[in-house]
Amino acid sequence: MCGISGYTGGRSVYNIIINCLESLEYRGYDSAGIAFTAGNRLSVIKCKGRIADLKKKASTRKINAQAGIAHTRWATHGKPSSLNAHPHFDSSGRIAVVHNGIIENYIDIKDKLLEKGYTFKSDTDTEVLAVLIGHYYEKMAIEKAILKAAEDITGSYAIGVILSDSPEKIIAMRHDSPLVIGIGVHENFMASDVSAILKYTNKVIYLQDKELAVISPERIEFLNSKPHDKHLPVKINYTIEQAQKTGFKHFMLKEIYEQPKVVSNILAGHITSSDKIHFDISGLDIKNIKEITIVACGTAYHSGLVAKYIIEEFARIPVNVDVGSEFRYRNPIIKDDTLFIAISQSGETADTIAAVREIKKHKVPILAVCNVLGSTLTRESSATVYTNAGPEISVASTKAFTAQITVMYLLGLFFAQEKGIFSKTRLTSELNIFKKIPNQQKEIFKQSRKINAIAKKYLNFGAFLFLGRNINYPIALEGALKLKEISYIPAEGYASGEMKHGPIALIDEYRAVVCIANDSFVFDKVLSNIQEILARKGKIIVIATEGNRRMTEFTKETVFISKTNNVYAPLLTTVVLQMFAYYVAVLKGFDVDKPRNLAKSVTVE
Ligand code: F6R
């Protein structure tokens, strides 16, 4: 949902803000722009298209700047165009603003400014904000003008402002959209997320809600802070390599291949040498939880659905799962013996955070399962379990999903342990099966050629159906989501048992059906579904357990996973479906890491 970068210091402003912006392109990529100060001159270069187009446009200019801000856009108000691209000027041309988020009441503000005689060049809410700041700047210092404008607006924002009157300064402010400040020596940085500035510094300060920072090369001043806001720099412990492709063709492929390591790291982090599971969530009264409600969006919602099967199976606690955007507006029943869990890779998803705020009104505990240190979700929750998957750059989520479900398995086992449901022997035997998963995921990578060949064969099918049963039903949903979001092929996920209640009408020789048919207590039922599809000339691709020869009687298109207990199978079946979606999109020639219309971190409702 738009990426922002900024730099003030003695090095090449242009190179640094563009370099940082390139790491943020996953957040939006329909237009891009920069603004920079030199002496008392403020200049803007912007265009429709990607950062590469911006670089082409800027290449004819000699840019010698003191400070600069940059923006890559995911359009909310106004179509992608050069006029709507950020930065936007105020009416005097002395102030330039970049913005991530949505100003919800921008029409009212625009009307008032129009009445006062101001004019606008773009369709954006951001230009309205820039003009409003400029309006107040006529009468007060820029910091005060920004704070005053912030009082007038509703919605979410992370903004960067530079001005010709103070060419070394960048002013940053945020509310419900992420913004981080990077600390350098005689230089400072600003960005939407840490991975963008990691090349230059690993010392960061997370800007707090409604806080304003005045960033100069030698100092950072904070205004509008709350008494408990801390400004001690945090040291980031992941490396720049983790945020780079390191030889892989795409981030998505790299992130798929990182999954065995991610799973092993999470296991190592929560299992003691005597096979006890520990979580640092002492504030939550686990033994007395009667029910769990999980809120999340998209792929994270699918991990919530997997968690329902896990927790109900292991800990016998009833689990409800809801999408953030539905939960909030449903007048939900919030009971104080319910544990609420919010799952989010970014920790900035507006719909999930809105649900969390609704829950907080009832003063019940919320556990965040999140990947991003210091994100809004983690700050607003009672406790956090980090998924520690490292930065996920590809817009389509892969390793973050596996990390989320790995954490949910461990939480399920932990609840069973704490409630005394599992004996020590049972827990050890579960963990022995679980610990084999990373190597079993690596076995799937050995079948990449085969998965690629299947992708090639099915590339031009017009629609896909993904079927799974029991704990693999949410994996069917996730497999369909992966395929549609990066290859734009209509794909639906269904519980296999539901096929006869409607979707079977779709089956003919042009329909491809991906069936998750691993060995399990529901295998025979899934097999019946497969036969029903074949009887109607449907084409099938199957995921089966190694050694299951019956499958090869039905189709050559079988990808095998290693033997494991059905409950852990999602950690394997999901990898096959991620690879399948990846190869289809690559073969179709699409931009896998930056699918159209999407953006990582959906910070608007
Ligand atoms: C799909 C995908 C999205 C996100 C969703 C929630 O590949 O990435 O569906 O899962 O937008 O995002 P987070 O997990 O950041 O809350």
Side-chain angles (χ1 to χ4, degrees):
M1 294 283 125
C2 304
I4 293 175
S5 67
Y7 172 74
T8 173
R11 290 198 262 176
S12 164
V13 169
Y14 173 77
N15 286 347
I16 291 177
I17 58 175
I18 286 289
N19 193 288
C20 294
L21 199 65
E22 282 173 328
S23 316
L24 294 169
E25 202 168 28
Y26 69 88
R27 299 178 68 91
Y29 29 87
D30 58 46
S31 50
I34 53 170
F36 49 91
T37 50
N40 287 107
R41 276 217 352 256
L42 173 62
S43 313
V44 166
I45 307 172
K46 55 187 188 173
C47 66
K48 183 179 169 198
R50 298 211 165 174
I51 298 169
D53 301 302
L54 175 69
K55 281 164 80 174
K56 243 182 250 154
K57 192 165 179 188
S59 63
T60 53
R61 301 270 294 267
K62 202 169 160 3
I63 300 172
N64 235 332
Q66 285 162 280
I69 50 178
H71 188 268
T72 180
R73 180 168 184 249
W74 185 87
T76 55
H77 298 69
K79 62 177 194 258
S81 71
S82 183
L83 269 186
N84 288 333
H86 300 207
H88 289 284
F89 280 127
D90 76 320
S91 61
S92 72
R94 288 184 296 165
I95 298 170
V97 178
V98 288
H99 163 224
N100 164 24
I102 286 187
I103 313 294
E104 285 164 2
N105 59 342
Y106 83 104
I107 293 180
D108 293 346
I109 297 174
K110 189 171 184 176
D111 286 345
K112 283 183 195 147
L113 290 167
L114 284 167
E115 271 170 32
K116 289 187 199 308
Y118 290 101
T119 54
F120 296 86
K121 297 187 180 72
S122 78
D123 308 315
T124 65
D125 50 345
T126 306
E127 190 188 11
V128 174
L129 177 62
V131 172
L132 182 66
I133 294 172
H135 170 67
Y136 287 129
Y137 185 49
E138 298 288 327
K139 298 172 218 102
M140 57 190 85
I142 185 68
E143 297 81 0
K144 283 208 173 125
I146 295 172
L147 288 170
K148 185 108 179 75
E151 281 172 21
D152 293 353
I153 59 179
T154 55
S156 61
Y157 53 85
I159 57 169
V161 178
I162 55 171
L163 64 163
S164 53
D165 297 339
S166 303
E168 282 192 343
K169 267 189 202 170
I170 300 173
I171 301 167
M173 186 170 180
R174 71 171 283 269
H175 171 53
D176 287 353
S177 285
L179 206 59
V180 61
I181 297 167
I183 319 290
V185 179
H186 308 304
E187 60 182 2
N188 288 306
F189 307 81
M190 172 193 80
S192 300
D193 88 29
V194 169
S195 57
I197 46 178
L198 214 51
K199 187 171 175 189
Y200 304 103
T201 178
N202 66 352
K203 271 178 25 196
V204 304
I205 295 176
Y206 291 96
L207 200 60
Q208 303 299 316
D209 229 29
K210 298 221 168 154
E211 200 177 26
L212 178 147
V214 184
I215 309 166
S216 313
E218 305 296 343
R219 69 188 293 244
I220 301 164
E221 193 189 343
F222 294 92
L223 301 175
N224 211 36
S225 309
K226 293 180 201 78
H228 51 84
D229 288 347
K230 293 194 182 67
H231 302 122
L232 283 178
V234 177
K235 204 161 166 221
I236 298 301
N237 59 8
Y238 61 77
T239 61
I240 182 69
E241 286 72 34
Q242 283 178 278
Q244 288 176 336
K245 283 191 211 152
T246 57
F248 282 91
K249 196 168 168 211
H250 296 101
F251 277 111
M252 182 172 176
L253 190 62
K254 177 192 174 230
E255 288 159 8
I256 290 172
Y257 274 71
E258 279 173 346
Q259 292 177 111
K261 186 103 200 94
V262 168
V263 176
S264 328
N265 286 348
I266 299 172
L267 293 180
H270 294 283
I271 304 174
T272 66
S273 52
S274 58
D275 276 351
K276 228 177 157 306
I277 298 170
H278 64 92
F279 276 100
D280 192 10
I281 48 175
S282 46
L284 305 177
D285 184 10
I286 302 299
K287 285 196 180 116
N288 291 317
I289 293 167
K290 296 275 178 306
E291 219 173 273
I292 292 175
T293 292
I294 298 175
V295 287
C297 302
T299 288
Y301 168 69
H302 295 156
S303 67
L305 293 176
V306 177
K308 177 179 169 65
Y309 287 86
I310 298 169
I311 296 171
E312 291 187 349
E313 171 76 20
F314 290 162
R316 308 301 296 150
I317 306 172
V319 180
N320 308 305
V321 191
D322 217 336
V323 284
S325 53
E326 283 302 315
F327 180 87
R328 182 185 179 189
Y329 294 109
R330 216 190 46 223
N331 194 9
I333 298 163
I334 297 178
K335 294 190 281 181
D336 51 14
D337 56 3
T338 301
L339 172 66
F340 287 85
I341 304 180
I343 307 177
S344 172
Q345 188 285 128
S346 63
E348 301 295 345
T349 300
D351 289 326
T352 306
I353 289 167
V356 163
R357 290 189 179 145
E358 188 61 40
I359 297 160
K360 271 174 77 174
K361 286 187 200 152
H362 299 259
K363 306 216 174 335
V364 293
I366 300 156
L367 174 65
V369 173
C370 187
N371 198 35
V372 177
L373 188 80
S375 56
T376 306
L377 177 66
T378 65
R379 288 200 305 268
E380 300 224 357
S381 301
S382 327
T384 300
V385 175
Y386 282 103
T387 45
N388 289 328
E392 189 179 65
I393 308 292
S394 174
V395 166
S397 189
T398 53
K399 66 172 177 172
F401 175 68
T402 321
Q404 286 159 358
I405 59 175
T406 302
V407 164
M408 298 317 289
Y409 280 108
L410 286 171
L411 276 175
L413 292 168
F414 176 70
F415 296 153
Q417 167 189 286
E418 296 301 291
K419 285 168 80 79
I421 294 175
F422 276 6
S423 65
K424 173 107 190 48
T425 328
R426 168 84 194 268
L427 197 58
T428 303
S429 101
E430 291 293 338
L431 292 177
N432 286 344
I433 302 166
F434 203 171
K435 285 174 192 167
K436 287 189 188 142
I437 292 289
N439 281 335
Q440 294 176 330
Q441 290 178 325
K442 287 183 194 159
E443 290 300 313
I444 298 170
F445 301 151
K446 292 183 189 159
Q447 296 175 79
S448 61
R449 271 168 185 263
K450 184 171 190 186
I451 301 172
N452 192 32
I454 298 173
K456 211 174 211 163
K457 187 164 170 192
Y458 285 85
L459 198 57
N460 294 317
F461 272 67
F464 278 77
L465 200 58
F466 285 71
L467 300 180
R469 198 159 186 151
N470 190 257
I471 197 163
N472 274 303
Y473 159 50
I475 301 303
L477 299 179
E478 176 60 10
L481 177 63
K482 283 295 85 99
L483 186 71
K484 72 183 119 182
E485 69 184 329
I486 60 171
S487 71
Y488 321 135
I489 302 174
E492 273 188 273
Y494 258 95
S496 356
E498 276 287 294
M499 198 184 63
K500 57 188 173 294
H501 298 292
I504 199 161
L506 294 171
I507 308 294
D508 59 20
E509 64 261 54
Y510 308 109
R511 201 76 41 188
V513 187
V514 182
C515 303
I516 307 177
N518 58 302
D519 288 357
S520 76
F521 63 98
V522 288
F523 175 75
D524 287 339
K525 312 266 176 216
V526 176
L527 200 58
S528 308
N529 296 140
I530 289 175
Q531 276 161 333
E532 286 155 15
I533 299 162
L534 291 172
R536 286 155 185 86
K537 297 198 181 120
K539 301 286 179 294
I540 56 167
I541 300 163
V542 172
I543 302 176
T545 304
E546 63 183 1
N548 188 335
R549 295 281 152 238
R550 283 167 79 188
M551 265 315 149
T552 41
E553 290 166 21
F554 298 112
T555 175
K556 279 200 264 129
E557 269 72 74
T558 304
V559 181
F560 288 103
I561 58 163
S562 307
K563 282 194 172 64
T564 186
N565 270 14
N566 182 49
V567 73
Y568 298 101
L571 287 161
L572 304 179
T573 51
T574 195
V575 176
V576 178
L577 297 183
Q578 293 165 352
M579 290 172 78
F580 176 68
Y582 171 78
Y583 287 122
V584 171
V586 170
L587 289 163
K588 279 183 159 293
F590 292 135
D591 188 345
V592 176
D593 286 334
K594 298 187 194 92
R596 72 181 181 206
N597 302 339
L598 293 178
K600 196 103 186 142
S601 178
V602 185
T603 53
V604 294
E605 268 196 72

